[in-house]
Amino acid sequence: MSDAVAVDGVWRAAIEAVLADPDGDDVRVSQGLWALAVRAKSTAGDVQCGGDVFGPVLTPGGYVVMRCWVRVESADAARTRDACDVAWRRFARVDDEGVEAGPDVEIEDPDPFGYPDVQGGTVVLAFDAREDEDPFPYRALTCLRILVEELRRHGCTPARLVNALRLPDDEGLDVEELADRIVVTRD
């Protein structure tokens, strides 16, 4: 397991489940654990986050990757877009192990994929996962933390983060219900 990103027990369980299931045989367990970790740790009331944001998903090609698209709902779309622009640029500095390169490290300008766009009063953005054939949960977790940090720093709270792209495997999926089942099983 990588020590690149500090994780506590609930995130560790979610990340380990994702990494142990690259073929998606137990993707619902991974999704439920991710949703449980998001529920337990990602919000402090000012930023609400859907349980599937940046979480694992089974692709039509039959492998598990991390969701990369997110929709940010906040009162001031222009300010939120500015915060998301900073977050998006920071996303490009995060490697597969979840380590963000420092400001002194020179990197290429990011590919415009996922650049923040205002759509109907909300902002949609993504980290670049187009070439992923493996899940990189540490990167996803770091990007989630970056996004929340920049929304707070730019005064864009309260905010709500929701998954912006549904895949065929999402049909009938309720990650919050999956998380509830895990809680009941553990009790």
Side-chain angles (χ1 to χ4, degrees), residues 52-186:
D52 56 353
V53 170
F54 293 165
V57 65
L58 185 62
T59 68
Y63 49 90
V64 176
V65 297
M66 304 309 287
R67 298 173 188 276
C68 62
W69 288 96
V70 63
R71 178 176 306 279
V72 181
E73 301 171 352
S74 185
D76 185 338
R79 182 185 302 178
T80 302
R81 202 213 61 75
D82 291 344
C84 290
D85 175 70
V86 174
W88 177 81
R89 291 176 191 287
R90 288 181 62 193
F91 290 173
R93 303 181 70 79
V94 178
D95 68 16
D96 294 344
E97 295 299 315
V99 177
E100 182 180 8
D104 57 328
V105 176
E106 193 170 319
I107 63 167
E108 295 179 26
D109 286 337
D111 182 296
F113 176 84
Y115 187 76
D117 184 38
V118 177
Q119 297 179 359
T122 66
V123 180
V124 176
L125 71 152
F127 62 85
D128 193 350
R130 291 176 290 179
E131 302 298 319
D132 290 0
E133 291 184 9
D134 292 310
F136 295 108
Y138 288 104
R139 179 183 60 194
L141 175 56
T142 299
C143 289
L144 178 59
R145 288 178 175 166
I146 287 169
L147 181 55
V148 170
E149 179 182 304
E150 292 300 336
L151 290 169
R152 288 178 177 148
R153 192 167 70 82
H154 284 81
C156 300
T157 58
R160 184 169 174 249
L161 310 179
V162 296
N163 174 29
L165 181 65
R166 308 294 291 173
L167 293 178
D169 191 58
D170 289 333
E171 189 67 37
L173 175 65
D174 181 346
V175 295
E176 298 304 328
E177 182 180 313
L178 294 174
D180 289 343
R181 282 192 220 153
I182 289 169
V183 170
V184 169
T185 302
R186 289 184 174 179

Side-chain angles (χ1 to χ4, degrees), residues 3 27 29-30 32 41 43 119 143 145 148 150 158-159 164:
D3 293 326
V27 71
V29 171
S30 300
K41 299 294 180 182
T43 61
Q119 297 179 359
C143 289
R145 288 178 175 166
V148 170
E150 292 300 336

